[in-house]
Amino acid sequence: MTRYQWLAAVTVAATLVLIAIGAVVRTTGSGLGCPDWPLCHGQLIPPAERTAIIEYTHRTAAAIVGLLVVATAAVTLRYHRGDRALRNLAIASLPLLALQGWLGKETVERELPPEIVTMHLSGALLLLAVLALIAAFAFLGPERRRLEDPRRAVYLRASISAAVMIAVVLIAGSYVVGADATEACTGWPHCPEAPAPFIDGLRAQHIHWMHRLLVAAAFIAVLRLIWHAQDLPEADGVLRHAAWGLGALYGAQIVVGAANIWTDFSSAVRAAHLAGAAATWGLSVLIIAGALYLPGRSAGARAPAALPGERDAARA
């Protein structure tokens, strides 16, 4: 693994950790633990209060991820500007990062409105997708190439459909939390408070039902991806395994979602649910990249140089 590949992978991993910490902030009710921004109760060091420490941990992690994103973009533009896809992704990551910072500020100053909270998570998922693609292209190498194969084309369309549906589920889930509809249904898979979707119950139950039905629709999209993966040629075994891995991860997410109700909406389970959802989304994006390109001949031995001296070392 080259230093550039390592940097790209660490940036993706750190972003996933940041989203997980954000989930802890939400599930513990710590979103206003620091009621001002960028300071916390008007000071650099947060007071010794649980919610303030949790929220400040999230802000610190966000600052670290911000530095990693800027470093990844800078290295990409310095050493890989000839790769148009990488260059465009690196450029796109910077305004997305700035937008995330602004949305974080607005979330605090507007006292957690569900629309802004949902936009904040949506921006995080979009940034994660961009970073995942940078990492994928770094590992595929500068000589990656498209393979014109009808079976791959079908698999690619199925992977895009699955990724889109997973993203919709995540955004809907964020709105459920922001609209205080998480505990609107106290049973699973049934909903005692609203047995008939969108007919019985109140607005909160309707929002909750919307999320559940979208989860089912996305599961069908993932199953469709697995189905088409079986038609891929033997050389595309990695893509078949990736599809099965996505199915297993998504299935685990459904179980964890149900465990929210079974554990009386435990903060730990709720945080694990959002963290797992982000990982599922990240994997779905990587699958799309894998379906689009074959690794270049030199991807393993001479992956793109990233830092001073790396290209000379690769030639040696």
Side-chain angles (χ1 to χ4, degrees):
M1 181 186 297
T2 69
R3 284 176 287 180
Y4 178 62
Q5 292 169 341
W6 181 88
L7 175 62
V10 167
T11 303
V12 172
T15 304
L16 283 171
V17 171
L18 175 61
I19 293 174
I21 296 174
V24 174
V25 170
R26 295 184 66 180
T27 58
T28 58
S30 303
L32 295 177
C34 294
D36 46 347
W37 192 96
L39 300 177
C40 185
H41 293 278
Q43 54 192 33
L44 286 174
I45 305 300
E49 299 174 359
R50 178 172 176 265
T51 57
I53 292 173
I54 293 174
E55 168 60 12
Y56 204 75
T57 300
H58 179 247
R59 293 187 185 184
T60 302
I64 294 172
V65 168
L67 291 175
L68 285 171
V69 172
V70 171
T72 300
V75 170
T76 302
L77 295 175
R78 174 66 178 85
Y79 296 101
H80 302 273
R81 55 183 176 271
D83 188 323
R84 187 171 66 175
L86 276 175
R87 182 179 70 243
N88 291 341
L89 288 167
I91 292 172
S93 70
L94 297 176
L96 281 174
L97 178 64
L99 176 62
Q100 276 302 95
W102 179 78
L103 286 173
K105 171 179 172 293
E106 291 295 301
T107 299
V108 172
E109 293 185 347
R110 298 191 186 189
E111 299 185 354
L112 311 179
E115 294 79 9
I116 299 297
V117 171
T118 301
M119 289 175 61
H120 192 39
L121 177 62
S122 301
L125 296 176
L126 184 56
L127 179 59
L128 176 62
V130 169
L131 297 174
L133 287 175
I134 290 175
F137 290 162
F139 279 90
L140 285 169
E143 299 175 11
R144 60 185 179 275
R145 61 196 188 280
R146 294 288 298 270
L147 176 64
E148 300 300 330
D149 185 297
R151 293 168 294 182
R152 266 210 174 209
V154 172
Y155 179 90
L156 174 61
R157 289 194 294 270
S159 66
I160 293 174
S161 297
V164 169
M165 287 304 305
I166 289 171
V168 170
V169 168
L170 265 70
I171 294 170
S174 176
Y175 190 79
V176 167
V177 176
D180 292 325
T182 303
E183 302 179 22
C185 292
T186 57
W188 192 92
H190 67 296
C191 178
E193 292 78 9
F198 311 117
I199 297 175
D200 299 325
L202 304 174
R203 177 176 178 271
Q205 281 80 38
H206 297 166
I207 294 173
H208 195 105
W209 263 120
M210 172 194 68
H211 178 58
R212 290 193 181 188
L213 294 176
L214 286 172
V215 167
F219 187 52
I220 293 173
V222 172
L223 290 178
R224 178 170 171 264
L225 173 64
I226 294 174
W227 174 268
H228 289 301
Q230 309 316 303
D231 294 330
L232 290 173
E234 191 67 29
D236 286 329
V238 172
L239 292 179
R240 285 201 303 274
H241 294 323
W244 279 107
L246 183 65
L249 191 54
Y250 193 86
Q253 274 298 101
I254 293 176
V255 174
V256 174
N260 279 319
I261 294 175
W262 300 337
T263 60
D264 197 22
F265 303 99
S266 160
S267 295
V269 175
R270 290 173 64 188
H273 190 42
L274 179 53
T280 304
W281 161 247
L283 177 57
S284 70
V285 173
L286 291 175
I287 288 175
I288 292 174
L292 274 171
Y293 293 101
L294 287 173
R297 294 186 184 88
S298 59
R302 278 185 53 191
L307 301 176
E310 190 163 272
R311 281 176 293 186
D312 295 336
R315 291 192 187 98

